[in-house]
């Protein structure tokens, strides 16, 4: 639809046309209510007012309106008249990046400045769960106040396939339909129609950065087929054009333009930090050595010479990823310290050094520290830092050795670049064994200074201060933490015992109170003891920890979890989780539990962001991997959940909880035989789990195997005489067997004991919620389900 001057859409009066694209036209217009100029983008929507494309467009526009970044073109309004949808956008004054590139490549400093602004905009969008999917120079406008990114989310809306167009003078085409994006800037996963995420935008960003630095498109070829083939198969950094890319930027581009998305950055924030470090390096270099825009005939002749000058004069080969001078490392894996001591307490102290460094450094802002559970698999192995870096997606790796000789201990540490294995820093320390706690703090402080360009006074003091002065209390604390990680009923009881003994020696040991709170919390949500009483103990211990040290992250996370599951106070829970994350952005449990809150609140995009953050911080954790499957299932994608659970069980085939959840998902899609097989395996691996036994018994009833279900009920009755068993499990099994009186009695007990955390959302209850006999106890709800939230 073409609009002419003077026409109106709602309160917006058209002035003149600004341009056209594959989806519609853009006009300069005036908001007659406010008297300001706006850009009016008219979207072609021929399918009717109730078409899925238009509904999806409105959802995407609503999502885009949440972006308030200074480097994103602001969306003011959205509307429709007849079969025309329109967006009202900020009117930008300046050329597009595509127009600027017609004059040749940009100076390195200018390219990095624009790249940082785009990266910052992408970071905010990706952390809101939004993916651009059509990032290209034509969608970047260069204004007096900085670069502005256009068309967020709109690539998702395109529904027509233009299968054979090639690039024209008007600009590269956008393929519409199942394959979305602009071919020369597509990621390989886009080009092949696979699922895309934030890493797809990183690839497109890499193509744009390559073009800014070289003046040449990374992948554009004479035809659409050749262009897509280049995206899938060719390395632009192996071409002649790549000689114009300064050497320090080449590793960054290699990572961005990796064909496999897993090799790109784990988060766009990490990408943005790398760019900032590069920019600082470039700014510290004499401007005379930075490449300037050249005329087209001279670019090829001078590219090699310019690169030689950059290397020789500026010394920029000492790059940010080598963590020298001005560059702050943004991610680290601290591997378990090696020791050959036969004394188990000495070995435990060696583990304690690892845990202490992780806890201390995780509090530093802008530093992603891998969780203990993801580095434990490297214990006792002589791991290559490059292999660790690839597996955990970190910039550097710290290894160490702990040796005790009589009354003295010595600790040696080495920090390596995960990209090339080069040595960055190392030191050796020897102290009396009684000073091991202060030595840990000294190492943490020194390492913090090496990783960060500058520590605040508060950060420096926290790293320098031992959590306790009592060595025996510290050993007991470490034992408690080790038992808690086992997550069994018996191990948790031992864990609580160890923490209490540590507190008997040092009642002011805040981390021991926090450890106790976490153990009680695990007991509660695992239903090893009556949840309400365990949640109360967790809350009390967390408050004691915070009274001693308000800056500890773990107690805030526990308070958020208790508020969510026991108090059903969502705002209070969200406050707790946000506080925990602010104090320790590298805390996977806080991100994980916050994701559950967001999932229950149907804030699905935000929930997925938190799920992926938790997984990025603890990629080898079976719990975090399973949680991503939970997200997929509860947001209506059981096939994605099945696939993710398959990956989880490949990592840990003995993870009974994942087998049980896979059984539930398979059952939901009608694959009952496979579901029962998974539930039987879960019951074999976790023979005392009432929830698993109840689920298996109910599945047996549905398959007509009543005798086997009754056998499971008898087994549960015997278990309940020995230990606490979830009344919800007993209610589900009793209801499946037709004993409604007992099912009701068990439901009433579940409500008293806090086993039923949210009657309106607990998906375990299934059809029970529709039974009139339980309606006063179990209100019907369409809300997303929640379960134990491991």
């Amino acid at each position: 639809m073409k609009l002419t001057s003077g026409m109106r859409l709602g309160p917006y009066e058209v002035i003149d046309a600004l341009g056209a694209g594959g989806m519609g036209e853009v006009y300069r217009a005036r908001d007659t209510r406010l008297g300001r100029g706006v850009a009016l983008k008219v979207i072609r929507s021929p399918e009717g007012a109730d078409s899925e494309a238009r509904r999806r467009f409105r959802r995407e526009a609503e999502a885009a309106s949440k972006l308030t970044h200074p480097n994103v073109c602001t969306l003011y309004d959205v509307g429709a008249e007849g079969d025309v949808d329109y967006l009202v956008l900020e009117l930008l004054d300046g050329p597009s990046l595509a127009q600027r590139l017609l004059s040749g490549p940009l100076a390195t400093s200018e390219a990095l400045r624009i790249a940082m602004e785009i990266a910052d905009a992408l970071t905010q969008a990706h952390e809101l769960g939004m993916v651009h999917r059509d990032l290209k120079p034509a969608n970047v406008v260069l204004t007096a106040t900085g670069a502005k990114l256009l068309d967020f989310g709109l690539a998702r809306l395109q529904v027509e396939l233009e299968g054979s167009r090639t690039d024209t003078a008007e600009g590269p085409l956008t393929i519409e339909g199942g394959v979305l994006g602009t071919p020369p800037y597509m990621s390989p996963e886009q080009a092949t129609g696979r699922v895309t995420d934030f890493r797809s935008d990183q690839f497109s960003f890499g193509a744009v950065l390559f073009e800014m630095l070289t003046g040449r498109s990374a992948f554009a070829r004479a035809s659409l087929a050749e262009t897509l083939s280049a995206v899938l198969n060719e390395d632009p950094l192996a071409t002649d054009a790549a000689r114009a890319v300064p050497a320090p930027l080449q590793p960054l581009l290699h990572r961005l333009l990796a064909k496999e998305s897993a090799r790109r950055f784990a988060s766009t924030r990490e990408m943005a930090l790398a760019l900032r470090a590069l920019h600082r390096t470039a700014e510290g270099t004499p401007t005379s050595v930075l490449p300037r825009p050249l005329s087209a005939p001279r670019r090829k002749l001078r590219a090699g010479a310019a690169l030689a000058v950059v290397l020789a004069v500026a010394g920029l080969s000492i790059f940010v990823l080598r963590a020298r001078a001005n560059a702050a490392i943004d991610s680290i894996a601290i591997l378990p310290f090696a020791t050959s001591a036969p004394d188990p307490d000495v070995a435990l102290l060696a583990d304690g050094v690892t845990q202490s460094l992780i806890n201390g450094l995780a509090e530093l802002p802008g530093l992603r520290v891998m969780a203990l559970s993801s580095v434990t698999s490297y214990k006792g192995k002589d791991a290559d830092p490059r292999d660790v870096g690839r597996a955990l997606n970190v910039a550097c790796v710290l290894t160490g050795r702990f040796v005790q000789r009589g009354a003295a201990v010595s600790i040696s540490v080495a920090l390596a670049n995960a990209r090339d294995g080069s040595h960055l820093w190392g030191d050796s320390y020897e102290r009396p064994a009684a000073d091991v706690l202060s030595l840990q703090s000294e190492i943490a402080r020194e390492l913090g200074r090496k990783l960060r360009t500058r520590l605040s006074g508060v950060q420096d003091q926290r790293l320098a201060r031992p959590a306790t002065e009592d060595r025996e209390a510290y050993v007991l604390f470490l034992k408690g933490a080790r038992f808690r990680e086992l997550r069994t009923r018996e191990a948790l009881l031992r864990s609580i015992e160890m923490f209490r003994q540590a507190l008997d020696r040092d009642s002011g040991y805040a981390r021991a109170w926090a450890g106790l709170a976490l153990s009680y919390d695990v007991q509660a949500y695992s239903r090893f003891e009556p949840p309400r009483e365990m949640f109360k103990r967790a809350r009390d211990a967390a408050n004691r920890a915070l009274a001693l040290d308000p800056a500890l992250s773990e107690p805030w996370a526990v308070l958020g979890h208790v508020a969510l599951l026991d108090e059903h106070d969502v705002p209070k829970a969200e406050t707790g989780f946000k506080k925990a994350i602010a104090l320790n952005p590298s805390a996977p449990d806080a991100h994980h539990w916050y994701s559950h809150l967001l999932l229950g609140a149907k804030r699905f995009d935000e929930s997925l962001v938190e799920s992926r953050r938790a997984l990025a911080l603890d990629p080898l954790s079976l719990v975090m991997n399973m949680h991503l499957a939970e997200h997929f299932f509860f947001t209506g994608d059981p096939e994605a959940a099945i696939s993710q659970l398959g990956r989880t069980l490949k990592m840990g085939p003995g993870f009974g909880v994942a087998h049980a959840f896979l059984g539930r998902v398979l059952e939901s899609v009608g694959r009952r035989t496979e579901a029962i097989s998974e539930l039987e395996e879960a019951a074999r691996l976790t023979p005392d789990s009432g929830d698993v036994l109840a689920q298996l018994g109910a599945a047996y009833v549905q398959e007509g195997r009543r005798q086997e279900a009754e056998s499971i009920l008898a087994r549960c009755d015997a278990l309940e005489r020995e230990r606490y068993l979830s009344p919800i499990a007993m209610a589900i099994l009793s209801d499946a067997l037709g004993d409604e009186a007992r099912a009701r009695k068990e439901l009433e007990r579940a409500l008293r004991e806090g086993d039923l955390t949210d009657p309106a959302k607990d998906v375990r209850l299934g059809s029970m919620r529709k039974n009139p006999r339980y309606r006063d106890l179990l209100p019907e709800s369409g809300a997303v389900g929640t379960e134990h939230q491991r």
Side-chain angles (χ1 to χ4, degrees), residues 125-249:
H126 292 167
E127 290 181 352
L128 288 172
M130 299 171 60
V131 181
H132 194 292
R133 296 209 292 184
D134 199 19
L135 180 60
K136 56 188 176 184
N139 277 338
V140 178
V141 175
L142 307 178
T143 73
T145 58
K148 294 270 189 174
L149 195 50
L150 309 179
D151 286 351
F152 249 106
L154 297 186
R156 297 174 182 268
L157 312 176
Q158 299 164 358
V159 294
E160 298 175 359
L161 179 63
E162 298 177 18
S164 60
R165 284 179 51 191
T166 58
D167 295 354
T168 70
E170 295 179 357
L173 76 96
T174 298
I175 293 183
E176 303 170 345
V179 181
L180 304 173
T182 301
Y185 306 96
M186 278 184 177
S187 65
E189 54 267 31
Q190 279 179 287
T192 53
R194 289 177 282 143
V195 175
T196 59
D197 61 16
F198 65 94
R199 293 170 297 185
S200 180
D201 281 350
Q202 291 180 11
F203 186 93
S204 303
F205 176 84
V208 171
L209 179 56
F210 181 90
E211 193 166 344
M212 284 197 287
L213 293 166
T214 66
R216 299 273 296 275
S217 172
F219 301 108
R221 302 294 184 266
S223 70
L224 175 61
E226 290 173 298
T227 296
L228 294 180
S229 176
V231 168
L232 294 173
N233 302 306
E234 295 182 18
D235 177 7
L237 291 164
T239 64
D240 289 343
R243 289 203 294 267
V245 178
L249 275 67

Side-chain angles (χ1 to χ4, degrees), residues 690 693-695 697-698 701 706 709-710 712-714 716-717 720 726-747 749 768 771 774:
L693 292 171
Q695 193 179 341
V701 172
R706 184 179 179 87
E710 288 175 343
I712 286 178
L713 178 62
C716 287
D717 285 336
E720 195 170 27
S726 164
I728 283 294
M730 301 302 289
I732 291 169
L733 190 49
S734 298
D735 179 70
L737 289 166
D739 189 345
E740 292 181 347
R742 180 173 180 182
R744 182 178 178 85
K745 179 181 176 183
E746 297 289 359
L747 285 175
R749 183 163 70 94
M768 293 183 71
N771 188 326
Y774 312 133

Side-chain angles (χ1 to χ4, degrees), residues 209-542:
L209 179 56
F210 181 90
E211 193 166 344
M212 284 197 287
L213 293 166
T214 66
R216 299 273 296 275
S217 172
F219 301 108
R221 302 294 184 266
S223 70
L224 175 61
E226 290 173 298
T227 296
L228 294 180
S229 176
V231 168
L232 294 173
N233 302 306
E234 295 182 18
D235 177 7
L237 291 164
T239 64
D240 289 343
R243 289 203 294 267
V245 178
L249 275 67
Q250 291 186 11
L252 176 76
L253 281 169
H254 270 296
R255 190 166 180 183
L256 290 170
L257 295 174
K259 304 301 183 186
E260 302 83 15
S261 63
R263 293 174 56 202
R264 299 172 210 148
F265 287 92
S267 74
T268 305
R269 181 172 296 279
E270 183 182 345
M271 178 190 82
L273 287 169
L275 276 166
R276 289 196 179 282
L278 273 169
H279 188 254
R280 282 196 299 271
T281 304
E283 288 295 293
T285 304
T287 54
S288 61
V289 304
L290 295 174
R292 294 189 179 93
L294 301 174
S295 62
R298 298 176 64 195
R299 284 200 301 272
K300 187 172 182 180
L301 292 174
R302 292 191 54 190
L307 178 58
V309 173
V310 169
L311 292 174
V313 180
L316 288 181
S317 58
I318 303 175
F319 179 52
V320 59
L321 289 180
R322 299 195 66 178
R324 307 292 189 186
N326 298 327
I329 291 171
D330 59 5
S331 53
I332 184 171
I334 301 170
L335 302 191
F337 275 45
T339 183
S340 57
D343 184 343
D345 279 359
V346 174
L348 194 63
L349 282 171
D351 291 343
V353 176
T354 309
Q355 185 170 326
S356 177
L357 292 177
I358 290 173
N359 289 341
L361 297 177
E363 296 180 359
L364 297 181
L367 180 66
R368 178 167 59 88
V369 183
M370 301 312 296
L372 182 64
S373 56
S374 275
V375 299
T376 299
S377 61
Y378 294 98
K379 186 171 183 178
K381 298 177 181 177
D382 186 16
D384 187 321
R386 293 169 295 184
D387 294 336
V388 177
R390 283 190 291 269
L392 301 181
N393 195 25
V394 291
C396 65
V397 176
L398 184 81
T399 56
R401 185 168 187 82
F402 183 100
V403 177
Q404 181 163 350
R405 298 184 184 92
V409 296
S410 64
I411 298 177
S412 58
V413 293
L415 185 67
N417 184 331
R419 179 178 62 88
D420 58 15
S422 59
H423 178 79
L424 299 175
W425 168 75
D427 212 337
S428 296
Y429 307 81
E430 188 158 347
R431 298 287 189 280
D435 293 342
V436 66
L437 302 182
S438 59
L439 177 55
Q440 285 183 182
S441 298
E442 181 181 340
I443 296 170
R445 190 180 191 184
E446 181 69 14
L447 182 56
R449 289 170 177 171
K450 295 294 180 185
L451 296 174
R452 304 284 86 190
T453 54
R454 182 177 300 169
L455 293 178
S456 71
V458 172
Q459 292 165 355
D460 199 58
Q461 289 174 15
R462 285 189 66 79
L463 288 176
R465 186 176 68 239
T468 180
E469 301 289 346
D470 189 313
R471 185 180 185 276
E472 182 60 29
Y474 179 64
V475 170
L476 289 164
F477 167 81
L478 294 176
K479 290 179 179 179
R482 177 173 288 183
F483 280 122
R484 186 182 62 238
E485 291 306 311
L486 298 176
R487 300 288 180 108
T488 66
R489 186 190 303 265
E490 291 73 17
L492 281 168
L493 291 173
R494 292 293 308 279
S495 169
I496 290 167
E497 179 186 351
M498 294 297 103
F499 287 131
R500 288 214 166 276
Q501 287 183 25
L503 290 166
D504 286 342
R505 295 188 62 89
D506 181 358
S507 61
Y509 193 174
R511 284 202 179 274
W513 283 110
L516 185 62
L518 284 165
S519 291
Y520 281 134
D521 189 53
V522 177
Q523 269 198 327
Y525 67 71
S526 298
R527 275 49 179 184
F528 291 146
E529 299 292 341
R532 180 147 294 148
E533 175 59 27
M534 294 304 105
F535 278 132
K536 178 182 181 302
R537 295 184 188 183
R539 180 170 50 240
D540 291 345

Side-chain angles (χ1 to χ4, degrees), residues 565-585:
L565 296 183
D566 187 52
E567 301 167 25
H568 308 150
D569 188 337
V570 172
K572 180 179 177 182
E574 186 161 16
T575 297
F577 294 143
K578 285 184 173 180
K579 183 71 173 177
I581 291 168
L583 290 168
N584 180 0

